[in-house]
Amino acid sequence: VAARSMTFVDSAEAAWKRYAALQQSAEEKALADEVDRKRRDFMEKGIKPLQKALLESNAEQALMVAKNDLPEMQRSLATAYEAL
């Protein structure tokens, strides 16, 4: 599961880089910067710790990240995406 999720992460990173390279208005750039900040937080503080726990077969830690950390970060990221 963790190894497969890394493929999705790589794909999402590539797609974001393609989007970020496009010309943007000042308003869109500000919104995109906010999405990028929340997206990086989601990855660094949520997805990567979850992947690490899964790779280490640490079900307790994986569940803790999935239940305690990811939901709020996901909501925040979704709100930023919607604004963009």
Side-chain angles (χ1 to χ4, degrees), residues 27-73:
E27 180 183 7
E28 183 179 5
K29 175 76 170 122
L31 293 169
D33 287 348
E34 181 66 10
V35 168
D36 189 44
R37 184 183 67 75
K38 291 181 184 236
R39 186 186 64 79
R40 283 184 280 122
D41 279 350
F42 182 75
M43 298 306 294
E44 294 299 320
K45 297 175 184 173
I47 298 300
K48 287 184 179 181
L50 178 60
Q51 288 173 330
K52 182 178 184 289
L54 291 170
L55 288 170
E56 294 172 351
S57 298
N58 186 339
E60 183 178 330
Q61 180 64 26
L63 186 58
M64 201 163 81
V65 170
K67 288 178 80 176
N68 297 335
D69 300 333
L70 284 178
E72 182 55 39
M73 286 188 282

